[in-house]
């Protein structure tokens, strides 16, 4: 019973983390139709910017807490939003009309650029570090024998809150309507008076701000390693898989996909490992489950669980 | 009037002649590979030999990707997965095979002095400060087991072919279901495949480092001993710089791949692939079996990616599944896109530039990757079709003008 509760909480926390990152992928894909490979690096930069901000404000040496965390979070989200808008302005906008493969390679170029600029000693450097002192992972309450920790609560609250805020933004505001119009048909939207450039910039700002939140939550649970570390790439990949499984371009789909991927990675993995307790290698299969789910879902529904299937014409 | 059959037969080219013409490029490939091995290699020195080997292997890998990505227009991000599979198969055959089939280590090796190096037990000397001994040459002897085309190299050749075949089988397995998907979705599924192969490689059993242990296990029993997360190490270095025959094998495979892709491009099958690339629905309406064309291209590509993986594994003496993940697939896509998708000369140029330039700027290591990333972005913005586009060198107007001048002078 306590196993069940513990794995459920872990699933929700990881699902929230994936959802925050997956939304960035899905928003950009919905509007510009390309996979933003640099997104995982914005996530990594989010973690590192949070570290820089926290050490500049003196939160790392004491004086942390929930309020300090919120301050770090807001500043980091704003800085990452600016980073995302800059990337779009300099690298992607000149390629708006180019074939999508070119934009993709450019995104890879941006990704390499962010990774390696982050490695410079003057910026984040190569030493591993942590932002845990800002908000230690204390136990809030015990349910039976299961401790409910502050990070789980924080992740779930942040993810649910931000997803709902985004949902309202996309479906209830004028800007959201403009975003959906551009996603539907860029040219017609422009003819109807939508400023496409502004919409794209806002999309990148929102996606990157959510990525920053994801990066901080990830950095709380794991030591901050290099910006070029493969854990960031894998985190981005899984969040991206979540967006695709949910139906890329769809906000609710990304959240659902993130929960599904987290469910497979934590819940299914835990119980399968428990079932085959004798064989050691079963314990290392969690990434395999994620990608198997991806392949199965895509073969069954080629545009994801909640994606629109499009009819191709000559 | 003679019957139609005879008239047709008379128009057909002489079969002997036709076979000669079609084999001629391969004979030339062997000649050039021998030239690389015996003339160019010794002339340029060890450092440049290594760079040239890197270029050759990059040509094999990117050239194989070019068939799927350039000709058929299907975006695959799983090429490193096929490399990994092919490399494992080849390393399994050359590493375990040399012990099982040729008994290269007659002295049972017992002592491990660290770094994975093995000692010959009869030469061990233990002093106060260190343990010294003669290293057993059987695991890392340059050009061990016979010379050029000796037992070792034939085993290596068999390993490359085996690697190709195993990778091609995986290609069929992945391609049949997933090639129904289009565009980005295919890219994501192939990416997923590459990651799955990488994880499965990491959970294989460790590699026994003791010859006796290997001898007691059958070849089939050793199929799971691929090194796990430590990677498969001490692979014989048949394609490392300085080994006899390295240049020959790498450039033989590279040239054979280039000849095959050249012939494919100008054949009816290749035109069918190009039609799929330009417009799949239109191609289908014109009678191209698009699924079949795509799967065949995918399997062909996987075969040479497997061979490329085998060459790579025997160059660096090891396979590390962590190295052959998503990033490696991306590197290959970059070569194809920079060179020009669908252009054979473009691939050669792209592979040369992307291998040689970073080597030249090795001193500025801190800023090297930043400049590389910026260059990538600038090239994509300034020249979206890559260096060559889909054209070949001999199709460029400048080249035609040059050769026209040359041929007209000959006539006068």
């Amino acid at each position: 019973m306590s196993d069940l509760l513990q794995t459920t909480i872990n699933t929700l926390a990881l699902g929230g983390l994936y959802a925050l990152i997956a939304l960035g992928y899905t928003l950009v894909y919905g509007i510009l139709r390309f996979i933003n490979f640099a997104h995982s690096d914005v996530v990594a930069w989010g973690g590192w910017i949070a570290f820089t901000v926290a050490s500049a404000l003196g939160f790392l040496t004491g004086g942390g807490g929930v309020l300090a965390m919120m301050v770090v979070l807001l500043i980091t989200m704003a800085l990452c939003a600016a980073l995302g808008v800059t990337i779009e302005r300099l690298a992607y906008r000149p390629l708006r009309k180019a074939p999508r493969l070119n934009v993709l390679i450019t995104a890879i170029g941006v990704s390499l650029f962010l990774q390696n600029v982050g490695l410079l000693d003057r910026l984040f450097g190569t030493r591993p570090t942590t932002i845990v002192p800002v908000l230690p992972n204390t136990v809030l309450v015990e349910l039976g024998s299961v401790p409910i920790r502050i990070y789980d609560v924080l992740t779930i609250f942040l993810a649910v809150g931000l997803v709902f805020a985004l949902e309202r933004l996309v479906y209830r505001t004028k800007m959201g309507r403009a975003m959906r119009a551009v996603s539907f048909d860029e040219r017609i939207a422009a003819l109807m008076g939508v400023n496409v450039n502004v919409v794209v910039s806002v999309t990148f700002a929102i996606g990157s701000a959510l990525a920053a939140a994801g990066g901080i939550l990830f950095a709380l649970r794991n030591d901050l390693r290099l910006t070029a570390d493969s854990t960031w790439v894998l985190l981005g990949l899984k969040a991206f898989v979540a967006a695709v499984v949910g139906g890329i371009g769809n906000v609710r789909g990304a959240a659902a996909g993130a929960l599904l991927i987290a469910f497979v990675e934590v819940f299914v993995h835990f119980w399968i490992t428990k079932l085959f307790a004798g064989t050691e290698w079963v314990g290392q299969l969690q990434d395999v489950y994620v990608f198997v789910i991806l392949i199965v879902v895509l073969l069954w529904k080629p545009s994801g669980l909640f994606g629109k299937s499009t009819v191709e014409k000559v | 009037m003679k019957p139609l059959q005879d008239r047709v037969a008379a128009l057909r080219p002489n079969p002997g002649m036709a076979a000669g013409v079609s084999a001629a490029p391969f004979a030339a490939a062997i000649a050039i590979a021998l030239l690389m091995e015996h003339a160019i290699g010794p002339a340029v020195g060890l450092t440049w030999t290594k760079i040239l080997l890197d270029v050759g292997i990059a040509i094999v890998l990117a050239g194989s990707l070019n068939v799927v990505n350039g000709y058929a227009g299907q975006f695959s991000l799983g090429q490193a997965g096929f490399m990994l599979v092919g490399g494992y198969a080849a390393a399994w055959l050359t590493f375990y095979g040399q012990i099982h089939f040729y008994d290269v280590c007659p002295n049972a090796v017992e002592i491990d002095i660290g770094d994975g190096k093995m000692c010959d037990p009869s030469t061990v000397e233990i002093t106060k400060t260190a343990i010294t001994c003669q290293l057993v040459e059987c695991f890392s002897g340059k050009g061990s087991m016979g010379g050029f085309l000796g037992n070792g190299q034939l085993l290596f050749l068999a390993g490359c072919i085996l690697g190709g075949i195993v990778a091609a089988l995986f290609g069929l397995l992945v391609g049949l279901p997933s090639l129904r998907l289009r565009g980005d979705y295919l890219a994501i599924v192939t990416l997923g495949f590459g990651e799955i192969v990488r994880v499965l490689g990491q959970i294989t059993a460790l590699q026994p480092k003791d010859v006796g242990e290997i001898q007691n296990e059958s070849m089939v029993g050793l199929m799971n001993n691929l090194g796990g997360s430590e990677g498969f190490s001490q692979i014989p270095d048949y394609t490392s710089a300085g080994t006899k025959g390295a240049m020959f094998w790498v450039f033989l495979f590279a040239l054979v791949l280039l000849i095959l892709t050249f012939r494919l491009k100008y054949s009816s099958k290749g035109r069918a692939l190009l039609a799929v690339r330009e417009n799949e629905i239109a191609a289908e309406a014109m009678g191209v079996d698009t699924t079949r064309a795509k799967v065949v291209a995918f399997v062909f590509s996987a075969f040479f990616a497997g061979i490329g993986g085998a060459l790579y594994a025997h160059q660096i003496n090891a396979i590390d599944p962590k190295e052959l993940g998503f990033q490696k697939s991306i590197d290959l896509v970059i070569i194809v896109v920079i060179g020009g998708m669908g252009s054979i000369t473009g691939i050669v140029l792209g592979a040369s530039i992307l291998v040689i330039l970073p080597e030249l700027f090795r001193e500025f290591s801190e800023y090297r990757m930043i400049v590389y990333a910026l260059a990538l972005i600038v090239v994509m913005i300034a020249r979206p079709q890559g260096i060559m586009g889909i054209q070949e060198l001999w199709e460029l107007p400048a080249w035609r003008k040059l050769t026209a001048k040359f041929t007209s002078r000959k006539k006068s």
Side-chain angles (χ1 to χ4, degrees):
Chain A
M1 190 59 211
S2 63
D3 279 349
L4 192 66
L5 192 62
Q6 184 68 61
T7 44
T8 309
I9 292 169
N10 290 350
T11 302
L12 289 177
L14 190 66
L17 175 62
Y18 285 161
L20 288 175
I21 304 167
L23 285 169
Y25 281 110
T26 226
L27 283 173
V28 169
Y29 192 92
I31 286 181
L32 292 180
R33 305 257 168 254
F34 84 96
I35 306 171
N36 184 9
F37 271 117
H39 195 62
S40 65
D41 302 288
V42 177
V43 176
W45 273 54
W48 280 99
I49 290 175
F51 171 77
T52 315
V53 168
S55 63
L57 295 177
F59 292 151
L60 288 176
T61 48
V66 178
L67 204 65
M69 193 68 232
M70 286 300 143
V71 170
V72 171
L73 187 74
L74 285 178
I75 296 176
T76 308
M77 283 172 79
L79 288 175
C80 270
L83 176 69
V85 172
T86 314
I87 291 171
E88 192 277 326
R89 181 70 195 83
L90 295 181
Y92 300 152
R93 192 170 294 178
L95 285 162
R96 197 71 64 74
K97 299 270 183 297
R100 281 189 305 171
L101 195 58
N102 288 100
V103 193
L104 206 69
I105 301 291
T106 310
I108 292 165
V110 172
S111 162
L112 285 174
F113 179 78
L114 289 181
Q115 282 176 13
N116 289 289
V117 168
L119 288 183
L120 293 178
D121 282 333
R122 273 185 217 164
L123 214 56
F124 309 133
T126 50
R127 65 206 181 285
T129 179
T130 176
I131 55 168
V132 169
V134 179
L135 184 66
N137 196 6
T138 47
V139 179
L140 282 182
V141 64
E142 292 217 7
L143 278 183
S145 59
V146 180
I148 308 288
R149 290 178 182 277
I150 196 162
Y151 288 180
D152 298 327
V153 177
L154 183 72
T155 311
I156 295 168
F157 265 91
L158 263 182
V160 172
L162 289 173
V163 169
F164 266 102
L166 187 67
E167 171 88 17
R168 276 199 77 79
L169 178 90
V170 172
Y171 292 99
R172 298 275 188 280
T173 64
K174 206 172 168 189
M175 179 46 85
R177 187 173 297 157
M179 282 165 79
R180 282 183 291 144
V182 173
S183 162
F184 192 74
D185 190 323
E186 192 186 312
R187 280 174 59 201
I188 303 286
L191 289 174
M192 293 291 163
V194 174
N195 189 336
V196 175
N197 286 336
V198 170
V199 169
V200 172
S201 291
V202 169
T203 309
F204 269 86
I206 296 171
S208 306
L210 293 177
I216 292 176
L217 291 174
F218 186 74
L220 281 175
R221 286 165 195 275
N222 304 273
D223 280 351
L224 273 171
R225 289 173 185 281
L226 318 175
T227 45
D229 198 78
S230 58
T231 51
W232 294 113
V233 177
L234 201 61
L235 174 70
L237 266 185
K238 286 182 189 165
F240 173 60
V241 165
V244 172
V245 163
I248 197 154
N250 183 319
V251 172
R252 289 166 215 182
L259 275 183
L260 178 64
I261 293 300
F263 175 75
V264 171
E265 192 183 334
V266 176
F267 202 87
V268 173
H269 173 65
F270 178 83
W271 293 104
I272 290 186
T273 309
K274 200 161 183 177
L275 204 62
F276 298 95
T279 32
E280 193 189 330
W281 54 269
V282 176
Q284 294 170 307
L285 286 178
Q286 69 258 49
D287 293 352
V288 173
Y289 303 142
V290 170
F291 290 106
V292 166
I293 277 287
L294 165 78
I295 292 174
V296 170
V297 167
L298 279 190
L299 293 181
W300 169 48
K301 290 195 107 171
S303 43
L305 291 176
F306 295 89
K308 289 186 296 249
S309 59
T310 48
V311 179
E312 255 183 273
K313 293 178 207 150
V314 179
Chain B
M1 198 149 185
K2 280 190 245 170
L4 183 65
Q5 236 176 332
D6 290 0
R7 274 185 286 153
V8 170
L11 285 173
R12 274 204 195 113
N14 179 349
M17 183 79 168
V21 168
S22 73
F26 295 103
I30 292 176
I32 296 174
L34 282 172
L35 191 72
M36 294 298 286
E37 169 72 29
H38 292 293
I40 313 271
V44 296
L46 210 57
T47 319
W48 275 93
T49 304
K50 187 194 168 298
I51 295 176
L52 282 178
L53 287 171
D54 284 343
V55 171
I57 294 173
I59 289 175
V60 174
L61 291 165
S64 70
L65 184 63
N66 187 32
V67 174
V68 164
N69 210 334
Y71 294 0
Q74 305 301 310
F75 188 30
S76 164
L77 277 179
Q79 210 68 359
F82 296 124
M83 268 181 86
L84 193 59
V85 170
Y88 271 137
W92 168 77
L93 190 64
T94 53
F95 181 77
Y96 294 128
Q98 64 182 355
I99 295 162
H100 267 268
F101 304 145
Y102 297 115
D103 197 23
V104 284
C105 291
N107 314 329
V109 179
E110 299 284 342
I111 301 154
D112 186 346
I113 54 162
D115 323 333
K117 285 179 185 144
M118 297 290 170
C119 270
D120 184 342
S122 59
T123 62
V124 177
E125 276 174 44
I126 301 174
T127 62
K128 273 178 200 157
T129 50
I131 304 173
T132 57
C133 67
Q134 269 185 347
L135 293 181
V136 171
E137 288 293 319
C138 61
F139 279 150
S140 61
K142 286 203 179 288
S144 63
M145 293 228 304
F148 184 61
L149 288 183
N151 286 340
Q153 298 216 337
L154 290 182
L155 190 65
F156 165 67
L157 180 61
C160 287
I161 306 287
L162 178 75
I165 291 171
V166 174
L169 287 176
F170 270 80
L172 190 66
L173 195 75
V174 179
L176 271 182
S178 61
L179 284 167
R180 298 189 306 140
L181 298 167
R182 288 182 187 173
D184 295 340
Y185 291 103
L186 177 70
I188 298 155
V189 167
T190 48
L191 187 159
F193 156 76
E195 289 299 302
I196 289 176
V197 169
R198 181 180 61 75
V199 176
L200 292 183
Q202 281 176 336
I203 63 172
T204 52
L206 291 180
Q207 182 186 4
K209 297 275 164 101
D210 185 295
V211 175
E213 216 176 300
I214 294 171
Q215 277 166 338
N216 288 336
E217 189 75 66
S218 71
M219 282 299 275
V220 178
L222 286 163
M223 266 162 69
N224 189 33
N225 294 80
L226 299 177
S229 56
E230 287 178 13
F232 201 126
S233 57
Q234 294 179 327
I235 300 171
D237 47 2
Y238 291 110
T239 50
S240 298
T243 310
K244 276 200 189 99
M247 290 285 257
F248 174 76
W249 290 115
V250 168
F251 281 91
L252 183 66
F253 280 116
L255 290 167
V256 165
L257 173 70
L258 292 180
I259 294 167
L260 289 179
T261 49
F262 172 77
R263 288 194 165 162
L264 180 66
K265 189 175 181 181
Y266 296 101
S267 73
S268 59
K269 297 258 183 279
R271 304 234 185 254
L273 284 178
L274 290 173
V276 171
R277 160 187 160 141
E278 293 306 327
N279 191 326
E280 206 170 324
I281 297 172
E284 202 154 357
M286 297 304 290
V288 177
D289 185 346
T290 53
T291 310
R292 191 189 145 84
K294 283 191 287 184
V295 171
V296 169
F298 204 68
V299 170
F300 178 89
S301 165
F303 180 80
F304 274 96
I307 288 182
L311 296 175
Y312 170 84
H314 290 84
Q315 185 194 26
I316 63 166
N317 311 92
I319 305 174
D320 185 352
K322 288 188 281 299
E323 294 282 315
L324 292 181
F326 167 65
Q327 299 284 359
K328 185 75 191 177
S329 300
I330 295 271
D331 288 350
L332 298 176
V333 173
I334 289 175
I335 295 182
V336 174
V337 174
I338 292 278
M341 293 206 305
S343 168
I344 297 161
T345 29
I347 296 300
V348 177
L349 269 176
S352 312
I353 292 171
L354 288 180
V355 170
I356 293 174
L357 273 190
E359 289 293 333
L360 294 182
F361 294 104
R362 200 164 266 284
E363 293 151 51
F364 315 98
S365 58
E366 199 183 1
Y367 296 96
R368 188 169 62 135
M369 285 306 291
I370 298 175
V371 173
Y372 173 76
L374 282 178
L376 200 62
I377 299 171
V378 169
V379 168
M380 280 298 103
I381 292 174
R383 197 170 166 81
Q385 72 274 38
I387 300 170
M388 299 295 291
I390 197 178
Q391 288 181 313
E392 300 297 347
L393 187 62
W394 52 88
E395 291 167 350
L396 291 180
W399 178 267
R400 283 196 174 161
K401 217 178 271 172
L402 201 77
T403 48
K405 209 186 276 172
F406 196 64
T407 44
S408 66
R409 193 184 295 158
K410 226 194 247 171
K411 269 177 203 157
S412 65

